Amino acid sequence: MTLLRTVARPMLASMFLYGGTMALRNAPAMAPKVQPLADKVQKVMPSADAVTLARVNAAVHVAAGLSLATGHFPRASALAIAATMPATTATGHQFWKETDPDARRNQTIHFMKNVSMTGGLLLSALDPDPHKKWVGARAKKKVADAGHAIADQVDELRS
């Protein structure tokens, strides 16, 4: 892992570790904000309640955040967190519902911060390890190698 990745991954993960830990500790207090989403999820999964959804989201942030910060499965971890961000952002930072200009500005800042962090997570999910080729390149090489192996066998059969 390069020095830049060694420093950048924990920096990116830090907000998810902190926020996830706080959400785990305060899930019941977060339930009112999560309730509209829980109502929709309950149509598909009746046992889901707002506190449980808040805890699951927080657990994903903590677990994947730790994994990202330590460089274990960084791309999958970044993708897992990124997958939670649309619901987290739309549920937690509804600036369009704020009537107070200061509260609206504050929620807009947090909304845009989450959008920015999601972009960073998506970039991190695509970031190849310098010692390991990107999965698409590895797959392409496997296909090419298989094609060469088949061609070699055909040549052997012809001779």
Side-chain angles (χ1 to χ4, degrees):
M1 187 181 330
T2 65
L3 177 62
L4 181 60
R5 284 178 180 86
T6 302
V7 174
R9 286 179 179 155
M11 290 172 66
L12 182 58
S14 65
M15 186 62 209
F16 302 104
L17 290 168
Y18 178 78
T21 302
M22 292 299 105
L24 279 173
R25 290 180 178 172
N26 303 308
M30 299 178 74
K33 273 193 168 185
V34 179
Q35 192 58 54
L37 178 62
D39 292 341
K40 292 176 183 171
V41 171
Q42 284 173 340
K43 292 176 184 174
V44 179
M45 206 161 93
S47 63
D49 62 271
V51 174
T52 301
L53 288 179
R55 285 184 178 143
V56 168
N57 187 62
V60 169
H61 285 195
V62 171
L66 279 171
S67 184
L68 178 62
T70 59
H72 292 88
F73 304 104
R75 289 176 280 194
S77 302
L79 196 56
I81 299 169
T84 69
M85 291 303 288
T88 300
T89 303
T91 300
H93 304 295
Q94 297 179 353
F95 65 90
W96 56 90
K97 290 185 176 180
E98 295 292 343
T99 54
D100 176 56
D102 290 335
R104 184 182 190 95
R105 187 173 21 262
N106 186 40
Q107 288 301 321
T108 302
I109 289 168
H110 286 293
F111 185 95
M112 296 310 294
K113 170 203 47 120
N114 282 12
V115 170
S116 297
M117 290 191 323
T118 303
L121 289 164
L122 292 173
L123 285 172
S124 186
L126 295 174
D127 181 37
D129 187 317
H131 305 293
K132 192 175 188 182
K133 291 184 179 178
W134 178 66
V135 70
R138 290 191 315 238
K140 185 177 178 181
K141 184 177 179 340
K142 291 271 188 192
V143 169
D145 290 348
H148 293 304
I150 291 170
D152 291 344
Q153 287 181 355
V154 168
D155 288 343
E156 285 180 27
L157 291 173
R158 286 184 181 163
S159 51

